[in-house]
Amino acid sequence: MWQSRAVRWLAERRQFVQVVIDGFSWVVALVFATLMRYDSNQLKLVDWSGLATLIPLAVLAQIVGGLAFGLYLGRWRFGSFDEAFALARAVALATLLTFTINALLHTLIPVRSTFSGGVAALVLMASSRYLWRLVLETRRRPTDATAQRMIVFGAGDGAAQIVAQLLRNPTSPYLPVALLDDDPRKRSLRISGVRVAGGRSALEATAEEFGAEVLLIAIPSADADLVAELNDIALSAGLDVKVLPTVTELFNGVVGVSDIRDVTVADLLGRHEIVTDVESIAHYLTGKRVLVTGAGGSIGSELCRQIYRFAPDELIMLDRDESALHAVQLSIEGRALLDSPNLVLLDIRDQPTLFEVFEARKPHVVFHAAALKHLTLLEQHPGEAVKSNIWGTLAVLEAATRAEVERFVNISTDKAADPISVLGYSKRIGERLTAWFAERHDGAYLSVRFGNVLASRGSVLETFHAQIASGGPVTVTHPDVTRYFMTIPEAVELVIQAGAIGGDGEALVLDMGNPVRILDVARRLTAQAERHINIVYTGLRPGEKLHEQLLGTGEVDVRPTHPLVSHVPVAPLDPAAITALRSSGGNAELIDDMAKFCRAGGIESEADR
């Protein structure tokens, strides 16, 4: 207890204590420097009276120098490089003044002793500050009683920042006990006293040696494969895994304790978000009237949130789900009174009312995100896919042309590439209808095609999490099935990019990296569960592919504008040609008719080859 009071007393009187310590340093330094000028049998030659005269003057010179450079004014953070620089300048000035005074008083002590005394005084002052700071930092360190013992992977700038912050915060939830890094040149490195214990191969042994509970991957630039591998090793060692954000997510590259987060689904899938620099091209939304259909859905709601950042003149959010509109307004405006004219409760199947809304609001830009998307359910009810994904899309396209929309972006799916499902057929027809309107009307009409979206409603990951929460089993259709994945922000950035860089009638496709094996996702998620979860195989369902593709047969990967965005021409489809879909009889006939419209224009469906 008394130690705490003493440290607090010293801290409250820091400037005064520093003056005393620095003055004492000059006393010791000048005595030492003077004595070192004589042999043991010459000590009687020391001018003790001269030394006693000069010491107070040297201390006064130090105070003058310290005040001149702000050393005793609390201007610098204690123990910082700025304070060290100020200390060096103050001591240099004090040494020069001491030398001058010594010369004017006819050499009270040997001339060289004034300079060596200055050097010795600087060493003593710097050492006292270092010890003081060391005591303070030691007292600030979290303890095992309040923090989890953590291994930090990575010994670069990000790790140095986060380790220092964790060790200087007594309320920190984590206590760094060891570092790991694959660079053999860092094996002798210590950061704030924490040593590098080896590379990734030493993770399990290090966790056992130090009794660690948590692994932090402190490499903001780490590729996703490394994150996935370390996650697997850590789980087998019984460690919780935390990560730092990617470089693009950090503000000015500065890492803070609050940046430490759990491993996300994107991390577990072995991929990080692709950044498309949407800010540089989203100016076409500023000051414009923008309408989003399906505004309450996973993609539509994020699209509205991002569009809102670019200050449109008006953001019109259209959806048939009143609860979804309530949620999106709350997320954007912080309130949800549902009294805003920006909210439009409307089903895109209601063509007359849809036309009235477009005529009254005159949007400049339209993002068409409204659709039915659950593959298996649409296989059983293909008529619903026709009504929403085909006729609904056609109604939005016609309304847009009547309102003389400047840009129209239709949101499609990778299942439209060589489709074999009702969902794929309906979305492919939507792409072709959009291309037809692009040929015949002013403005830009195009489509955007992407794969599975992480964290969207009804996604496989949402299903896995629900199954794990209920105790399992987790169901996987086939051990080899793969899918492309992207995050909701990625998907939305592509949509916004498309409005700026896409050409008439094109489908824009994001390079989503390598496809992910669904079984690997299931295994990683179940490995994190608190109890054992079984994985069972259910077999591919009607309309499902073993492997999705982003480009269909005959489509060429051309990237004229952005290195991660492919531009694919789409064969137009005359709306008059699909009137037969209205009167088709059974589901089989309707599906067959849809497939025929997909292979027209030289693009065959996989099912018909």
Side-chain angles (χ1 to χ4, degrees):
M1 182 66 70
W2 68 268
Q3 296 97 328
S4 298
R5 287 198 296 268
V7 171
R8 191 180 308 113
W9 187 90
L10 290 172
E12 291 172 353
R13 296 160 178 82
R14 171 186 155 189
Q15 282 77 32
F16 172 76
V17 172
Q18 283 183 321
V19 170
V20 172
I21 291 175
D22 292 351
F24 181 73
S25 297
W26 268 105
V27 174
V28 174
L30 286 178
V31 170
F32 174 76
T34 301
L35 292 177
M36 289 299 294
R37 293 295 299 159
Y38 299 94
D39 294 331
S40 58
N41 57 355
Q42 295 178 318
L43 294 180
K44 61 183 180 180
L45 300 176
V46 175
D47 183 0
W48 292 104
S49 61
L51 183 59
T53 301
L54 186 62
I55 283 176
L57 297 173
V59 172
L60 180 60
Q62 175 63 34
I63 295 174
V64 171
L67 292 173
F69 294 108
L71 192 62
Y72 305 130
L73 300 177
R75 185 177 298 173
W76 315 115
R77 182 174 175 269
F78 181 66
S80 65
F81 286 111
D82 289 332
E83 186 186 48
F85 185 50
L87 175 64
R89 289 187 293 172
V91 172
L93 178 59
T95 301
L96 181 61
L97 291 174
T98 301
F99 167 78
T100 304
I101 293 170
N102 187 51
L104 292 174
L105 296 179
H106 306 292
T107 315
L108 300 175
I109 64 173
V111 174
R112 292 185 181 180
S113 296
T114 59
F115 292 105
S116 57
V119 173
L122 177 61
V123 171
L124 289 172
M125 294 178 204
S127 298
S128 67
R129 283 165 170 77
Y130 172 77
L131 290 174
W132 191 345
R133 179 169 178 173
L134 186 63
V135 170
L136 291 177
E137 290 187 353
T138 301
R139 294 184 58 80
R140 291 173 185 160
R141 290 195 174 202
T143 65
D144 289 339
T146 59
Q148 292 181 292
R149 297 173 71 83
M150 169 183 277
I151 296 173
V152 178
F153 187 88
D157 291 340
Q161 291 181 49
I162 202 67
V163 168
Q165 291 193 40
L166 290 173
L167 291 178
R168 292 172 184 166
N169 182 1
T171 62
S172 166
Y174 307 110
L175 173 62
V177 294
L179 293 162
L180 296 175
D181 199 289
D182 288 334
D183 187 348
R185 296 171 297 180
K186 296 181 179 179
R187 293 300 158 82
S188 299
L189 180 66
R190 288 178 180 265
I191 296 177
S192 299
V194 182
R195 68 180 177 88
V196 175
R200 76 183 73 179
S201 60
L203 176 54
E204 293 191 50
T206 304
E208 184 176 354
E209 177 185 352
F210 289 91
E213 303 167 82
V214 181
L215 170 69
L216 172 65
I217 303 173
I219 308 177
S221 60
D223 60 52
D225 290 338
L226 175 60
V227 174
E229 180 182 349
L230 290 173
N231 179 76
D232 292 342
I233 299 173
L235 290 177
S236 65
L239 300 175
D240 290 335
V241 184
K242 306 290 182 180
V243 296
L244 292 178
T246 60
V247 173
T248 55
E249 296 175 278
L250 294 175
F251 179 73
N252 290 335
V254 178
V255 181
V257 177
S258 60
D259 292 315
I260 296 175
R261 60 170 173 79
D262 292 328
V263 178
T264 65
V265 174
D267 298 320
L268 290 174
L269 288 179
R271 68 185 309 275
H272 286 309
E273 293 180 15
I274 296 171
V275 179
T276 53
D277 191 23
V278 67
E279 286 80 5
S280 66
I281 50 80
H283 56 274
Y284 73 93
L285 300 173
T286 303
K288 299 289 187 177
R289 292 185 297 275
V290 183
L291 185 147
V292 179
T293 71
S298 302
I299 296 295
S301 59
E302 177 64 18
L303 188 54
C304 290
R305 284 187 286 272
Q306 290 205 28
I307 291 171
Y308 187 78
R309 294 191 296 116
F310 299 113
D313 178 58
E314 186 178 14
L315 175 58
I316 306 160
M317 297 175 281
L318 185 152
D319 202 292
R320 67 178 183 182
D321 186 336
E322 59 180 354
S323 297
L325 288 175
H326 176 275
V328 70
Q329 185 186 36
L330 182 63
S331 69
I332 291 175
E333 301 178 8
R335 65 183 188 90
L337 301 180
L338 299 179
D339 57 353
S340 169
N342 289 353
L343 302 180
V344 178
L345 185 63
L346 174 64
D347 192 329
I348 59 171
R349 296 179 179 185
D350 183 355
Q351 187 185 60
T353 308
L354 186 70
F355 285 179
E356 290 177 6
V357 169
F358 270 73
E359 182 63 29
R361 308 301 285 271
K362 295 289 185 183
H364 299 106
V365 183
V366 172
F367 293 98
H368 176 44
L372 298 177
K373 66 172 187 177
H374 287 283
L375 184 147
T376 305
L377 196 60
L378 293 182
E379 290 296 314
Q380 302 176 53
H381 304 282
E384 293 302 304
V386 171
K387 293 175 185 176
S388 291
N389 296 355
I390 297 178
W391 296 119
T393 296
L394 180 58
V396 177
L397 283 164
E398 290 177 340
T401 57
R402 290 184 176 211
E404 298 181 340
V405 165
E406 296 173 4
R407 301 170 191 261
F408 183 100
V409 182
N410 168 52
I411 298 178
S412 188
T413 169
D414 59 357
K415 293 172 178 60
D418 287 348
I420 65 169
S421 64
V422 169
L423 173 59
Y425 293 144
S426 63
K427 298 301 283 184
R428 177 59 180 172
I429 292 173
E431 289 182 359
R432 298 194 62 195
L433 291 172
T434 302
W436 187 88
F437 277 82
E439 285 188 342
R440 289 160 176 79
H441 298 280
D442 294 334
Y445 287 73
L446 54 124
S447 298
V448 184
R449 186 189 297 171
F450 46 76
N452 291 14
V453 179
L454 300 177
S456 62
R457 288 185 295 185
S459 70
V460 64
L461 296 168
E462 184 181 72
T463 301
F464 284 171
H465 283 303
Q467 290 174 333
I468 291 170
S470 64
V474 167
T475 56
V476 177
T477 56
H478 190 284
D480 297 323
V481 68
T482 63
R483 291 292 181 266
Y484 290 98
F485 283 94
M486 66 191 310
T487 65
I488 291 176
E490 278 182 299
V492 169
E493 285 194 8
L494 174 64
V495 172
I496 295 175
Q497 284 268 1
I501 67 175
D504 258 4
E506 293 180 332
L508 271 66
V509 186
L510 181 66
D511 182 346
M512 294 183 289
N514 297 321
V516 176
R517 196 165 70 134
I518 300 300
L519 178 59
D520 293 337
V521 179
R523 285 174 173 167
R524 284 179 175 147
L525 291 177
T526 55
Q528 292 187 312
E530 295 180 356
R531 54 179 169 172
H532 176 72
I533 303 292
N534 290 323
I535 297 175
V536 300
Y537 302 110
T538 59
L540 290 174
R541 294 165 295 184
E544 285 190 321
K545 296 178 182 178
L546 189 62
H547 306 292
E548 296 285 2
Q549 68 260 34
L550 299 175
L551 302 176
T553 302
E555 293 180 338
V556 180
D557 188 351
V558 179
R559 309 183 185 196
T561 306
H562 194 286
L564 296 176
V565 180
S566 303
H567 293 237
V568 176
V570 177
L573 176 63
D574 188 342
I578 58 173
T579 54
L581 289 176
R582 293 181 185 274
S583 57
S584 295
N587 287 352
E589 292 84 355
L590 183 56
I591 294 173
D592 184 60
D593 284 344
M594 293 169 69
K596 292 177 182 177
F597 290 120
C598 288
R599 69 173 178 263
I603 306 294
E604 291 187 357
S605 74
E606 187 176 295
D608 295 300
R609 285 203 300 273

